[in-house]
């Protein structure tokens, strides 16, 4: 989304008590120190001049800011750990402005003062942002007493109060009421940006406000553009070229006109664009490290390729962002981390379940998935 700060916005109703630069607009001024300490990292962070350093990385594998989880664009200056580690490099980088954010701030979105947290204490540091309701890694403004988390992009969006979007002529204003998102059709979000004109019905949910204008697809040499309206076709049928599912003609999508390629935003960006899938994270209730995976229920009934597994904590099939242990061949819902009551009982249940879930020796198959003894998915006896 091409967000422009609305200059006409008068500041008499200032929503925040501390001003800071928006997280995703970073510019180095002449007085930037070459090296700075940052509370979130054990080594000093060096200023990398984006103009001088020729970036070797492919845009797909670009550098991500560990603060806001947004990419650091080519040519953009940033701060990075340059410590020559013996084991493995830190791979820790921050937008210049993300490195300057205040440690504490008060935002009217929450009644208590918020603390800048480098990593939430859940598996993989994943938290749920209060404003966009997305799962995210990276820094957050958090209230420990209330389990309140706000990702950095949302904190800067909230601070702006008004934005301009090139899909609509008028200014959009932050609002607490979403009726229906003009981009994706969702109605079940708590916040949105809506047109200031009473005559317009244009509203965007926060995740749609955050959609980048351009994304890359590994099988297309051209960049894909965020597109607001489908060109009418004779069949009146619109499909996604990635999932082959139907696209709603009225919803935003990404397209490449040269290749006649069109797709759902979720299909190209993933359902959890603020989370780095994979990895190896410590899980408090499991003896091995786990990876973060996105498990989707297949749209095709009885799809043999569907590899959903039951969660040992709640016995429901694991869908969405889940923790996976390849050694044990199990998935665990991430949400249990956030509602970890009755842990004793659930642990007992999990132990019981382990007797029924086969634990194969790890194979050297290149496939990420191992087969259960009953075929492609593990089955759990009904009355445990
Ligand atoms: Zn950042
Ligand atoms: Zn480091
Ligand atoms: Zn958010
Ligand atoms: Zn609080
Ligand atoms: Zn939306
Ligand atoms: Zn309008
Ligand atoms: Zn799709
Ligand atoms: Zn395990």
């Amino acid at each position: 989304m091409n967000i422009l700060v609305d200059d006409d916005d008068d500041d008499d109703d200032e929503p925040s008590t501390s001003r800071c630069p928006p997280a995703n607009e970073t510019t180095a001024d002449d007085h930037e120190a070459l090296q700075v300490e940052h509370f979130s990292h054990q080594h000093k962070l060096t200023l990398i001049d984006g103009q001088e350093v020729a970036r070797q990385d492919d845009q797909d594998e670009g550098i991500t800011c560990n603060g806001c989880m947004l990419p650091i664009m080519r040519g953009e200056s940033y701060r990075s750990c340059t410590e020559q580690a013996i084991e493995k490099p830190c791979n820790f980088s921050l937008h210049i402005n993300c490195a300057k954010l205040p440690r504490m701030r008060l935002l009217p979105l929450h009644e208590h003062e918020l603390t800048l947290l480098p990593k939430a204490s859940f598996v993989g540091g994943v938290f749920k942002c209060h404003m966009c309701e997305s799962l995210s890694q990276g820094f957050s403004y958090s209230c420990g007493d209330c389990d309140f988390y706000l990702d950095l992009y949302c904190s800067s969006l909230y601070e702006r109060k008004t934005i301009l979007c090139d899909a609509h002529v008028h200014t959009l204003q932050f609002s607490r009421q979403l009726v229906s998102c003009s981009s994706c059709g969702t109605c079940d979000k708590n916040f949105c940006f809506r047109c200031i004109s009473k005559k317009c019905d244009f509203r965007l949910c926060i995740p749609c406000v955050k959609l980048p204008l351009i994304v890359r697809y590994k099988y297309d040499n051209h960049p894909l553009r965020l597109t607001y309206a489908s060109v009418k076709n004779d069949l009146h049928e619109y499909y996604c070229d990635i999932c082959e599912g139907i696209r709603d003609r009225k919803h935003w999508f990404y397209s490449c006109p040269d290749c006649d390629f069109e797709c759902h935003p979720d299909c190209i960006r993933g359902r959890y664009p603020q989370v780095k899938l994979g990895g190896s994270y410590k899980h408090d209730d499991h003896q091995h490290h786990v990876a973060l995976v996105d498990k989707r229920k297949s749209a095709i009934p009885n799809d043999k390729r569907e590899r959903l597994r039951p969660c040992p904590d709640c016995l429901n099939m694991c869908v969405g962002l889940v923790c996976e242990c390849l050694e044990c061949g199990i998935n665990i819902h991430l949400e249990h981390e956030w509602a970890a009551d009755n842990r004793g009982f659930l642990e007992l249940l999990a132990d019981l379940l382990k007797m029924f879930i086969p634990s194969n020796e790890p194979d050297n198959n290149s496939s990420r998935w191992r087969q259960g003894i009953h075929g492609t998915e593990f089955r759990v006896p009904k009355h445990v």
Side-chain angles (χ1 to χ4, degrees):
M1 159 79 50
N2 194 8
I3 295 160
L4 309 157
V5 182
D6 186 3
D7 292 333
D8 295 331
D9 177 28
D10 51 349
D11 267 357
D12 54 3
D13 186 22
E14 185 55 47
S16 71
T17 54
S18 61
R19 269 259 155 223
C20 80
N24 56 337
E25 276 181 10
T26 55
T27 42
D29 62 41
D30 298 338
H31 312 293
E32 294 289 348
L34 184 63
Q35 287 207 313
V36 293
E37 306 260 6
H38 195 269
F39 76 99
S40 67
H41 195 74
Q42 69 268 40
H43 309 123
K44 282 191 171 171
L45 301 182
T46 308
L47 179 68
I48 312 285
D49 188 328
Q51 301 298 326
E52 280 177 17
V53 179
R55 288 251 304 264
Q56 298 295 310
D57 54 81
D58 197 291
Q59 198 145 6
D60 297 329
E61 296 287 322
I63 303 170
T64 301
C65 169
N66 289 64
C68 65
M69 296 304 284
L70 291 169
I72 295 170
M73 295 301 175
R74 274 185 223 199
E76 189 175 20
S77 297
Y78 60 101
R79 292 209 169 270
S80 189
C81 172
T82 49
E83 192 80 10
Q84 298 295 328
I86 303 160
E87 282 199 355
K88 61 173 188 178
C90 291
N91 278 334
F92 186 89
S93 302
L94 292 175
H95 286 115
I96 299 221
N97 286 345
C98 287
K100 284 184 194 165
L101 290 169
R103 294 284 294 273
M104 306 286 286
R105 73 199 302 190
L106 205 53
L107 293 172
L109 211 51
H110 188 70
E111 56 192 311
H112 307 125
E113 193 168 28
L114 303 175
T115 308
L116 184 59
L117 205 65
K119 190 180 176 190
S121 59
F122 307 113
V123 178
V126 176
F127 61 90
K128 188 172 184 177
C129 173
H130 179 77
M131 191 163 127
C132 64
E133 296 169 56
S134 305
L135 298 181
S136 183
Q137 287 170 311
F139 292 9
S140 61
Y141 275 106
S142 150
C143 173
D145 292 341
C146 307
D147 264 337
F148 177 97
Y149 297 89
L150 193 65
D151 67 53
L152 295 196
Y153 195 168
C154 283
S155 74
S156 73
L157 272 177
Y158 178 70
E159 211 180 27
R160 282 168 194 223
K161 209 166 53 173
T162 57
I163 57 170
L164 292 174
C165 149
D166 50 11
H168 193 72
V169 285
H170 306 123
T171 299
L172 308 181
Q173 189 173 42
F174 182 75
S175 160
R176 286 173 190 269
Q177 199 189 8
L178 176 65
V179 178
S180 168
C181 173
S182 305
S183 155
C184 71
T186 186
C187 299
D188 64 351
K189 295 271 189 277
N190 292 323
F191 303 102
C192 71
F193 277 86
R194 53 171 295 185
C195 178
I196 52 165
S197 162
K198 292 270 185 295
K199 293 185 204 111
C200 278
D201 213 11
F202 189 86
R203 297 155 204 266
L204 292 177
C205 72
I206 308 297
C208 285
V209 169
K210 291 163 100 176
L211 287 174
L213 277 185
I214 285 175
V215 294
R216 291 263 168 193
Y217 185 45
K218 54 183 179 238
Y219 304 115
D220 195 328
N221 285 331
H222 313 110
L224 303 180
R225 287 202 155 270
L226 184 60
T227 313
Y228 309 118
S230 299
V231 180
K232 263 194 183 164
N233 64 33
D234 296 340
L235 292 168
H236 301 290
E237 283 173 350
Y238 306 87
Y239 292 97
C240 166
D241 288 315
I242 295 179
C243 73
E244 296 177 2
I246 289 171
R247 267 194 320 104
D248 189 315
R249 194 175 72 84
K250 296 186 288 298
H251 293 171
W252 292 5
F253 57 102
Y254 283 96
S255 71
C256 171
D258 292 339
C259 304
D260 199 16
F261 183 92
E262 298 175 342
C263 67
H264 292 123
D266 272 6
C267 288
I268 183 84
R269 300 182 70 228
R271 294 193 295 177
Y272 305 100
Q274 294 174 205
V275 173
K276 229 176 161 182
L277 296 179
S280 175
Y281 301 106
K282 210 178 123 23
H283 192 296
D284 284 347
D285 300 313
H286 192 73
Q287 71 265 41
H288 308 120
H289 278 60
V290 294
L292 293 172
V293 291
D294 176 9
K295 303 302 291 280
R296 225 182 244 256
K297 180 136 185 61
S298 173
I300 305 161
N302 304 319
D303 189 346
K304 281 278 188 290
R305 295 164 302 174
E306 186 178 281
R307 309 275 159 80
L308 296 182
R309 291 164 174 172
C311 170
D313 272 7
C314 67
L315 310 188
N316 291 317
M317 286 297 164
C318 273
V319 285
L321 188 66
V322 303
C323 303
E324 177 179 81
C325 174
L326 280 180
E327 263 176 86
C328 304
I330 61 162
N331 292 155
I332 310 159
H333 281 123
L334 201 64
E335 287 86 350
H336 295 307
E337 281 292 301
W338 298 312
D341 50 347
N342 296 329
R343 182 53 75 183
F345 168 72
L346 288 170
E347 253 165 19
L348 197 84
L349 210 61
D351 285 342
L352 257 169
L353 257 170
K354 276 181 201 142
M355 297 193 288
F356 294 99
I357 296 180
S359 170
N360 302 358
E361 285 303 309
D363 54 28
N364 295 325
N365 199 324
S366 61
S367 149
R368 279 176 60 75
W369 294 98
R370 292 192 284 114
Q371 310 277 301
I373 48 168
H374 301 298
T376 54
E377 57 179 72
F378 293 119
R379 296 195 188 282
V380 183
K382 274 231 168 68
H383 307 284
V384 193

